[in-house]
Amino acid sequence: MPEIWVKPERMPRHVAIIMDGNGRWAKKRGLPRALGHRAGVEAMRAIIRESSDLGVEVLSLYAFSTENWKRSTEEVGVLMGLLLEFCGREVENLYRNNVRIRILGDVERMPEPQRTALKNAMERTASRTGLQLNFAINYGGRDELRRAAQKLCEQALSGALRAEEVTEETLRQALDTAGQPDVDLVIRTSGEERMSNFLPFQTAYAELQFPKILWPDFGINEYHAALDDFAARDRRFGGRSEK
Ligand code: IPE
Ligand code: IPE
Ligand code: MG
């Protein structure tokens, strides 16, 4: 168990990570991109474990966007293969560590056998009460808002919801992150400074960090540095400074 050095009230409840730079990591070493993605999975395992040990409530990891289908068939195949391998190898482990897995994104439109593996991972860990681990897979923020709008329309048409009852809270509860706190901290590795369609509603007041390090090189020390940086920030939410 690591020592918790950050004051609990200064710890982010919800951390969201855009795990970027696997391809460049491989290229720098003259390796195929597939090995960059494989190294990325290892980095991810370490960050999941550390988040769980530190008592982070929610960790959202951007693993595959709705736009990533544009990549070559070969690369999409590698990523889908790694996803299955991860589910096969890690779900029991995560279960034992009290981690609950949730998928953000359109699982129904995932190909088989990935869809079944993801649903099984969610079902298997549904009773777990420790770290809430969100995997964003086939996820796009605009697509999430579209699906939320669709749910609300269906409720309205069935008579269960009136237009004036659509509050920020009803919309929040129709999102893939229903029931979870908003994102406090976004970390995007690799030096790119953009959101790439990740959690647009939930990150509205998040603190953003763009460390210049490729995802497979992002380890525990870099994670701690990110949490330290977050703890030192002054969040005002439109109000006045606490300082
Ligand atoms: C992130 O690494 C992983 C996914 C998007 C699945 P990239 O594959 O985007 O790596 P770069 O950006 O090409 O270096
Ligand atoms: C964002 O990375 C998606 C994931 C990390 C899964 P990309 O590498 O796909 O984003 P862009 O294309 O550079 O914006
Ligand atoms: Mg990238």
Side-chain angles (χ1 to χ4, degrees):
M1 204 47 111
E3 185 122 350
I4 301 183
W5 70 103
V6 173
K7 283 198 205 128
E9 68 273 18
R10 287 264 161 197
M11 272 290 283
R13 293 178 67 193
H14 187 166
V15 178
I17 307 185
I18 304 176
M19 308 181 289
D20 199 12
N22 294 348
R24 278 162 282 172
W25 184 91
K27 191 169 182 202
K28 246 174 58 179
R29 287 164 177 74
L31 298 170
R33 288 179 71 85
L35 290 186
H37 292 312
R38 194 167 276 285
V41 174
E42 291 311 308
M44 188 173 87
R45 291 176 66 218
I47 296 304
I48 295 170
R49 169 168 289 271
E50 186 66 7
S51 301
S52 167
D53 287 352
L54 289 171
V56 170
E57 263 176 71
V58 188
L59 175 67
S60 294
L61 299 174
Y62 206 3
F64 193 88
S65 73
T66 44
E67 288 71 33
N68 287 147
W69 296 108
K70 292 179 197 162
R71 297 190 181 197
S72 71
T73 321
E74 189 195 343
E75 184 167 0
V76 169
V78 163
L79 291 166
M80 291 299 137
L82 283 170
L83 180 58
L84 269 193
E85 196 181 311
F86 182 87
C87 288
R89 211 174 66 166
E90 291 296 324
V91 171
E92 281 312 304
N93 216 351
L94 293 168
Y95 176 87
R96 278 195 300 276
N97 283 294
N98 203 22
V99 176
R100 177 174 185 173
I101 298 171
R102 192 191 282 209
I103 307 301
L104 311 182
D106 200 346
V107 190
E108 294 308 327
R109 287 181 200 210
M110 284 293 286
E112 280 300 354
Q114 283 77 10
R115 181 175 52 217
T116 301
L118 293 173
K119 285 187 168 176
N120 287 344
M122 280 194 277
E123 271 167 35
R124 174 65 180 144
T125 61
S127 65
R128 305 285 85 184
T129 55
L131 174 70
Q132 308 287 295
L133 175 60
N134 294 336
F135 275 118
I137 294 171
N138 193 22
Y139 176 86
R142 289 175 177 171
D143 183 62
E144 181 191 29
L145 292 169
R146 177 191 68 75
R147 286 183 289 105
Q150 211 162 44
K151 278 184 215 163
L152 297 181
C153 279
E154 278 162 11
Q155 289 173 24
L157 285 170
S158 73
L161 184 73
R162 285 178 297 133
E164 56 275 24
E165 286 169 348
V166 180
T167 59
E168 253 182 46
E169 208 38 49
T170 20
L171 180 52
R172 197 187 297 280
Q173 294 315 322
L175 297 173
D176 295 347
T177 50
Q180 298 178 338
D182 282 347
V183 174
D184 297 302
L185 170 63
V186 174
I187 303 171
R188 182 181 189 142
T189 56
S190 90
E192 307 293 349
E193 301 189 354
R194 58 175 167 273
M195 294 300 291
S196 301
N197 206 9
F198 194 37
L199 301 173
F201 184 96
Q202 300 87 337
T203 59
Y205 256 105
E207 297 294 326
L208 310 180
Q209 293 182 8
F210 302 102
K212 288 187 177 36
I213 184 166
L214 302 171
W215 174 250
D217 292 328
F218 190 86
I220 304 299
N221 292 339
E222 287 74 20
Y223 193 27
H224 288 183
L227 295 173
D228 279 340
D229 176 290
F230 174 83
R233 292 187 184 200
D234 178 22
R235 301 182 79 196
R236 292 191 284 277
F237 300 97
R240 297 279 296 272
S241 170
E242 306 156 17
K243 288 180 184 160

